[in-house]
C-alpha cells in the first residue's frame, strides 16, 4: 500500500509494522490452542498472557483488567451492552460526537439514551453533562471518547470522570484514536472502562481490548467457553493478540508527526481559498487534520487525490464506503453542506515530510481546478440571471 501511494489515512488503519508481521508469523508457528494443556497449548497461553501484560503496561492498567476482543467495535459494545444487561446502568449518556459503534450500541441497549452536546470546536460540554446526570433517574453509564476520529479533538475525560463520580455514574472512554498519539493512562483518567484497538497503531486488524476496572462485572456478549476468565468466550486470536503487543512495544519509538501536520494545515490555509480546519481551536492529537473545502464534496476530493496517488479519508465515511454528512461536524454546529465537505488527513508511524509535500502538491492543484470550475458556474448563473 505505502509502496505505491502516499498513505495518509492512519485513523482508518495504519500499515502493519515490520515487528508486528514478525510477531504474527511467530505466533502462527506455535500452532496450539491456548486452552489446551499440552506443550503447544501452554506456549500459546504464555504468549497471550505476555501480550496482556504488555498491553496493560502500555495503557497504565493491570493485566487482569485487559479483555481481548475482535476490535474497538466489540469492546465498545461489550462496555455498554454488558453493563446494561448486567443491571449496572439503567440509562446511557454519550457524547454527540461518538463513533457509530457507541451510538448504535446505546440505541440498541433498550434503556434511555441522552446525548451530551459539544461546542463549536467539538469539545464536550461539561456543564450539560452535569445537568444530564442530575436530571435522570437510575444508575448511569457515561461514554465519552478520548480523541475524536474525525477532528482529532481531545476530550476532557478525566473531568468527565470527576463529574460522573459525583453522581455515582460509571464511565467508559473510547481511546482507540488516542492510543499512540499521546498519553493514554487508564489509571490517571479514572474511568471504569476504556477501549483500545491494534490496527490504528500498526497492529493487525481484528483485535482490540476493553480495559475494565476490577469489580465491574459485565455480562458477556456471547456464550460458550470460559476463555479470558469467562469474560469473552471463544478461542483467542493468538496471532492478532501477539501482533497487538508487538505494535504496543513500538509506540515509544515513534517520531512526533505534529510538526508535519501543522505545516500541512498552514500551507492549505495559505494557498487554498475557502478552506477550514475543523477543531483547530481545541487541543488535538498531533496526527489529524480535518479539512473542509467550501462547496466541494468530500468524496470528490478523496477520489481526485486517490487518482493523484495520495490516499486520505472522508471524515464522514461509513462502513458501506459511502459518504454522508459528518455527524461530528453537524454536532459542532456546521451545516449539512459544510459537513459534506470535510476530508481527514491522518499521519502515523511511517509518515515523512515527503508525504506532506505530495499531499500539498496534489491538493493545491485539485483545489485550484475545483474553485475555478465553481467560479465559472457562478458566473454562468449570474449571466443568465
Amino acid at each position: 500500500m505505502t509502496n505505491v501511494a502516499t498513505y495518509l489515512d492512519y485513523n482508518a488503519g495504519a500499515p502493519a509494522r515490520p515487528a508486528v508481521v514478525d510477531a504474527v508469523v511467530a505466533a502462527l508457528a506455535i500452532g496450539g490452542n491456548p486452552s489446551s494443556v499440552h506443550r503447544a497449548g501452554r506456549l500459546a497461553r504464555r504468549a497471550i498472557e505476555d501480550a496482556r501484560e504488555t498491553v496493560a503496561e502500555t495503557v497504565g492498567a493491570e493485566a487482569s483488567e485487559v479483555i481481548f476482543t475482535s476490535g474497538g467495535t466489540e469492546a465498545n459494545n461489550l462496555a455498554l451492552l454488558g453493563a446494561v444487561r448486567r443491571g449496572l446502568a439503567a440509562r446511557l449518556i454519550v457524547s454527540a460526537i461518538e463513533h457509530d459503534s457507541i451510538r448504535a450500541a446505546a440505541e440498541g441497549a433498550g434503556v434511555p439514551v441522552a446525548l451530551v452536546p459539544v461546542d463549536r470546536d467539538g469539545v464536550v460540554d461539561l456543564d450539560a453533562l452535569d445537568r444530564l446526570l442530575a436530571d435522570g433517574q437510575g444508575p448511569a453509564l457515561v461514554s465519552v471518547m478520548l480523541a475524536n476520529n474525525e477532528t482529532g479533538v481531545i476530550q476532557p475525560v478525566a473531568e468527565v470522570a470527576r463529574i460522573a463520580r459525583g453522581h455515582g455514574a460509571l464511565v467508559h472512554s473510547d481511546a482507540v484514536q488516542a492510543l499512540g498519539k499521546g498519553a493514554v493512562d487508564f489509571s490517571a483518567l479514572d474511568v471504569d472502562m476504556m477501549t483500545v484497538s491494534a490496527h490504528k497503531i500498526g497492529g493487525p486488524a481484528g483485535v482490540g481490548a476493553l480495559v475494565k476496572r476490577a469489580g465491574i462485572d459485565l455480562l458477556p456478549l456471547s456464550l460458550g467457553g470460559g476463555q479470558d476468565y469467562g469474560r469473552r468466550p471463544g478461542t483467542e486470536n493468538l496471532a492478532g493478540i501477539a501482533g497487538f503487543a508487538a505494535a504496543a512495544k513500538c509506540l515509544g519509538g515513534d517520531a512526533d508527526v505534529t510538526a508535519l501536520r501543522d505545516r500541512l494545515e498552514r500551507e492549505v490555509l495559505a494557498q487554498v481559498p475557502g478552506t477550514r480546519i475543523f477543531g483547530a481551536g481545541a487541543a488535538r492529537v498531533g496526527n489529524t487534520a480535518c479539512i473542509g473545502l467550501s462547496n466541494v464534496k468530500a468524496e470528490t476530493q478523496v477520489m481526485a487525490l486517490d487518482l493523484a496517488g495520495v490516499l486520505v479519508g472522508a471524515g464522514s465515511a461509513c462502513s458501506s464506503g459511502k459518504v454522508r454528512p459528518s455527524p461530528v461536524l453537524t454536532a459542532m454546529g456546521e451545516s449539512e453542506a459544510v459537513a459534506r465537505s470535510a476530508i481527514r488527513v491522518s499521519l502515523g508511524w511511517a509518515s515523512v515530510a515527503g508525504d506532506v509535500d505530495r499531499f500539498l502538491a496534489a491538493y493545491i492543484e485539485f483545489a485550484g481546478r475545483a474553485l475555478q470550475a465553481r467560479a465559472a458556474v457562478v458566473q454562468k448563473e449570474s449571466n443568465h440571471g
Side-chain angles (χ1 to χ4, degrees):
M1 176 170 58
T2 54
N3 291 330
V4 296
T6 296
Y7 186 77
L8 294 172
D9 198 16
Y10 278 74
N11 284 11
R17 300 169 185 266
V20 168
V21 175
D22 292 343
V24 169
V25 171
L28 289 171
I30 293 175
N33 186 314
S35 296
S36 299
V37 297
H38 51 59
R39 181 182 304 171
R42 296 196 303 273
L43 287 173
R45 171 56 53 198
R46 183 68 266 160
I48 286 178
E49 297 311 318
D50 286 347
R52 200 187 307 275
E53 291 275 359
T54 297
V55 172
E57 183 178 354
T58 301
V59 300
E62 298 295 327
S64 60
E65 297 174 319
V66 174
I67 305 171
F68 286 117
T69 66
S70 65
T73 292
E74 183 190 340
N76 284 341
N77 274 258
L78 177 58
L80 271 61
L81 299 179
V84 168
R85 293 171 183 175
R86 185 63 82 185
L88 302 179
R91 56 193 176 112
L92 297 170
I93 300 175
V94 304
S95 85
I97 57 166
E98 293 300 308
H99 188 269
D100 279 350
S101 58
I102 289 289
R103 296 284 292 270
E107 291 167 3
V111 297
V113 180
L115 294 181
V116 187
V118 297
D119 65 18
R120 294 289 299 187
D121 281 315
V123 179
V124 70
D125 185 334
L126 295 174
D127 290 335
L129 171 64
D130 194 29
R131 290 192 296 271
L132 287 169
L133 283 164
D135 290 345
Q137 299 296 318
L141 169 60
V142 177
S143 185
V144 175
M145 59 174 34
L146 187 51
N148 185 258
N149 52 300
E150 294 186 30
T151 64
V153 170
I154 299 170
Q155 301 301 320
V157 171
E159 277 297 294
V160 167
R162 182 188 63 79
I163 293 168
R165 294 273 178 262
H167 294 276
L170 296 175
V171 184
H172 165 260
S173 183
D174 178 348
V176 164
Q177 293 291 351
L179 185 62
K181 303 167 188 173
V184 175
D185 191 318
F186 180 67
S187 298
L189 290 172
D190 196 29
V191 294
D192 299 289
M193 295 177 283
M194 183 175 76
T195 294
V196 290
S197 183
H199 77 285
K200 310 297 188 182
I201 61 171
V207 61
L210 179 67
V211 186
K212 179 186 69 66
R213 181 169 60 81
I216 303 296
D217 182 22
L218 303 174
L219 190 69
L221 298 181
S222 56
L223 305 174
Q227 289 88 352
D228 219 319
Y229 309 100
R231 302 175 300 185
R232 200 255 183 177
T235 301
E236 298 92 338
N237 176 6
L238 172 60
I241 290 169
F244 191 178
K249 289 178 180 178
C250 294
L251 292 181
D254 287 342
D256 186 358
V257 297
T258 303
L260 295 179
R261 190 276 311 271
D262 290 349
R263 179 167 72 87
L264 183 152
E265 291 182 345
R266 284 196 305 270
E267 291 296 321
V268 165
L269 292 173
Q271 299 195 44
V272 183
T275 50
R276 293 178 57 190
I277 307 298
F278 298 104
R284 292 178 293 159
V285 291
N287 82 309
T288 304
C290 187
I291 305 169
L293 179 59
S294 180
N295 296 312
V296 182
K297 290 182 178 180
E299 58 263 45
T300 301
Q301 300 178 58
V302 171
M303 288 187 290
L305 289 168
D306 189 7
L307 290 172
V310 179
L311 311 184
V312 302
S316 52
C318 60
S319 58
S320 66
K322 298 179 180 178
V323 178
R324 56 183 176 168
S326 164
V328 171
L329 297 185
T330 54
M332 292 164 60
E334 303 294 347
S335 69
E336 181 173 319
V338 170
R340 286 187 180 275
S341 78
I343 63 169
R344 180 188 64 196
V345 182
S346 49
L347 299 88
W349 68 267
S351 297
V352 295
D355 297 330
V356 173
D357 295 337
R358 287 185 286 275
F359 168 81
L360 289 170
Y363 187 77
I364 291 168
E365 193 275 334
F366 161 75
R369 287 189 285 107
L371 293 174
Q372 286 178 355
R374 177 63 181 167
V377 170
V378 171
Q379 182 63 48
K380 184 177 181 180
E381 291 174 347
S382 175
N383 292 339
H384 286 81

